[in-house]
Amino acid sequence: MDRDMNILYILGVPLGYVMEWIYNLIPNYGWDIIIFTIVIRLLSIPLQLNQQKSMAKMSAFQPMIADIQKKYKDKPEKQQEELMKLQQEYGYKPTAGCMPMLVNFLVMFGVIEVVYRPLQRIFHIGAEAITAAGDAMTALGISFTQVTRDTNIIAQVLAGESTVTSVFTADQLNTITEFGQHMDFFGIDLTRVPQYSLAADNLPLLIFPILAVVTMFISTHISMKASGQEMQGSMKLTMYMMPLMYVFFCFTVPCAFSLYYVISNIVMTVQTQVMRKIYDPEKMKEQVKAEIASRRKEEKRGVKSTTIKVQDEKTGEVVEKNISASEMNKRRLEYARQQDAERYKDERTVPLSELQNKKED
């Protein structure tokens, strides 16, 4: 096992095998990144559907939350109490839709590991050989970092530097040489890290980081609009802070990551627009408002309700449903009858004469 094993290693290894499979089909690093991104986004559709549904539903609670925060702004404990009541009685879930975001972060860090170390993660060249090649470059006076090591190794192998090539097997040299011929995408070396510079050789490297930030702004704005939520307070801050965070990644990670993020944003924007047709935020909002109004009417009449989990007959999914106290009593009575039928089923099929004999014995 890799002696540098860490969380990035765990996330990057399986994604590296996916990239290897795609590279074997289409030996072009740029197109491989694009296909890889589309595959990952398609696999995440179920999670994104759930997130879209949850966010559309939660948007209906925003006016209620704003009222509570305004009414009890000087009473934080009472404010928390009312928010908890909102969760318990009306199904408000502030963490709804967080899972897709977590998965996206995990995939992102896995991709960073793959583009950091393409020779190890995609082509499975051993860490010992990579380290030996790094030592050989150091001896030659070539400076590099862990991020730029693979780029420098590829450059030295293509240049035929004997002290570097000698640490690899013939098959490994063929793999590195072939990859070196297919790692450019429209003239941009995807293994290089962009710099904060307007130097001529760095200008092409700035294209994908700029596109990444622009597409993220667009994707985030459309996603928020599709969810029906009003961007205010922390939401606005998050919208503008997230692109800044990705600017940092784009200028500390090879260009392949920026390309991945550009394609990911574009695909996500298209998915969001399609899913908006499935879960219209305005319709979801009206539906939730109607449910809340109905429950409040029941509460005024003194009718208590209970939230239970049931299986949706159409989708087969387990969903939460609010039922009245009378309906709950009916369900309990029916359940008790089923239990009695199961418990006494043997006696019900035995003739009465035999039951009488058993009693006399």
Side-chain angles (χ1 to χ4, degrees):
M1 187 170 286
D2 197 316
R3 65 185 179 185
D4 297 326
M5 180 176 175
N6 51 35
I7 186 63
L8 289 182
Y9 172 92
I10 295 171
L11 297 172
V13 167
L15 297 183
Y17 279 103
V18 175
M19 279 291 294
E20 179 192 23
W21 176 74
I22 297 173
Y23 184 85
N24 289 334
L25 294 176
I26 303 175
N28 181 287
Y29 196 29
W31 286 110
D32 294 339
I33 292 289
I34 292 173
I35 295 170
F36 168 84
T37 308
I38 293 172
V39 169
I40 294 298
R41 294 307 316 173
L42 289 176
L43 291 176
S44 68
I45 284 178
L47 283 174
Q48 194 175 358
L49 268 171
N50 184 59
Q51 182 186 37
Q52 187 85 351
K53 181 180 178 181
S54 297
M55 290 180 70
K57 186 177 180 181
M58 290 306 105
S59 66
F61 289 100
Q62 280 192 327
M64 299 174 68
I65 296 170
D67 288 343
I68 291 173
Q69 291 174 339
K70 183 178 180 180
K71 186 176 181 180
Y72 302 106
K73 63 179 180 180
D74 298 325
K75 300 178 180 179
E77 292 184 1
K78 182 63 177 177
Q79 185 180 120
Q80 287 299 317
E81 182 183 328
E82 290 298 314
L83 289 174
M84 284 296 296
K85 185 179 178 181
L86 204 62
Q87 294 181 45
Q88 295 169 355
E89 297 186 6
Y90 298 103
Y92 167 64
K93 296 179 181 178
T95 59
C98 289
M99 181 57 70
M101 190 179 297
L102 175 60
V103 172
N104 285 338
F105 268 105
L106 294 177
V107 172
M108 180 191 73
F109 284 113
V111 170
I112 288 175
E113 172 67 9
V114 172
V115 300
Y116 264 160
R117 301 180 175 87
L119 297 182
Q120 288 179 256
R121 300 296 167 248
I122 302 175
F123 304 107
H124 314 298
I125 295 175
E128 294 78 9
I130 298 294
T131 301
D135 293 340
M137 290 191 300
T138 300
L140 291 170
I142 300 172
S143 60
F144 60 90
T145 65
Q146 288 295 314
V147 179
T148 62
R149 183 177 61 179
D150 279 23
T151 304
N152 283 276
I153 289 174
I154 294 168
Q156 295 306 311
V157 168
L158 292 177
E161 176 55 54
S162 59
T163 55
V164 176
T165 58
S166 62
V167 306
F168 298 110
T169 65
D171 287 341
Q172 289 173 339
L173 287 174
N174 288 334
T175 297
I176 296 172
T177 302
E178 182 187 5
F179 181 58
Q181 296 169 350
H182 297 102
M183 62 190 188
D184 282 13
F185 190 62
F186 291 103
I188 301 173
D189 184 350
L190 296 179
T191 66
R192 288 184 60 190
V193 180
Q195 304 298 316
Y196 296 99
S197 169
L198 295 179
D201 65 334
N202 188 63
L203 284 178
L205 303 181
L206 299 177
I207 294 174
F208 289 134
I210 292 172
L211 286 175
V213 174
V214 171
T215 54
M216 183 179 183
F217 268 115
I218 295 172
S219 177
T220 304
H221 179 75
I222 291 176
S223 178
M224 288 293 184
K225 189 175 180 181
S227 71
Q229 300 191 57
E230 297 178 5
M231 286 183 292
Q232 51 187 339
S234 60
M235 280 190 181
K236 277 188 176 180
L237 181 63
T238 301
M239 180 183 175
Y240 293 109
M241 289 300 294
M242 289 290 283
L244 293 177
M245 182 184 74
Y246 282 100
V247 167
F248 169 77
F249 283 122
C250 289
F251 283 93
T252 53
V253 181
C255 276
F257 172 77
S258 296
L259 176 59
Y260 156 80
Y261 203 64
V262 169
I263 303 303
S264 181
N265 288 333
I266 293 172
V267 175
M268 187 183 296
T269 301
V270 174
Q271 287 179 336
T272 299
Q273 292 295 77
V274 173
M275 291 174 188
R276 189 178 183 182
K277 302 295 182 182
I278 301 173
Y279 293 114
D280 187 320
E282 293 306 318
K283 289 183 179 178
M284 289 289 296
K285 191 181 293 187
E286 293 303 317
Q287 181 182 336
V288 174
K289 284 182 177 178
E291 291 176 359
I292 292 173
S294 176
R295 292 199 62 181
R296 284 180 169 173
K297 284 182 180 178
E298 290 182 350
E299 287 175 358
K300 286 182 179 179
R301 295 200 309 265
V303 180
K304 294 184 179 180
S305 60
T306 306
T307 301
I308 63 171
K309 291 184 178 180
V310 297
Q311 189 171 27
D312 192 304
E313 295 180 357
K314 294 181 179 179
T315 64
E317 296 180 359
V318 176
V319 297
E320 291 186 348
K321 181 180 179 182
N322 293 319
I323 61 173
S324 64
S326 60
E327 177 64 21
M328 190 64 191
N329 289 334
K330 288 180 182 178
R331 287 173 179 261
R332 285 173 177 162
L333 181 59
E334 181 62 28
Y335 178 73
R337 286 173 177 169
Q338 290 177 359
Q339 290 289 92
D340 287 343
E342 181 68 24
R343 184 179 303 171
Y344 301 113
K345 64 179 179 179
D346 292 335
E347 294 184 8
R348 292 182 180 185
T349 58
V350 176
L352 290 175
S353 58
E354 292 187 19
L355 287 174
Q356 186 65 31
N357 292 334
K358 286 183 180 180
K359 288 181 181 179
E360 291 176 356
D361 292 340

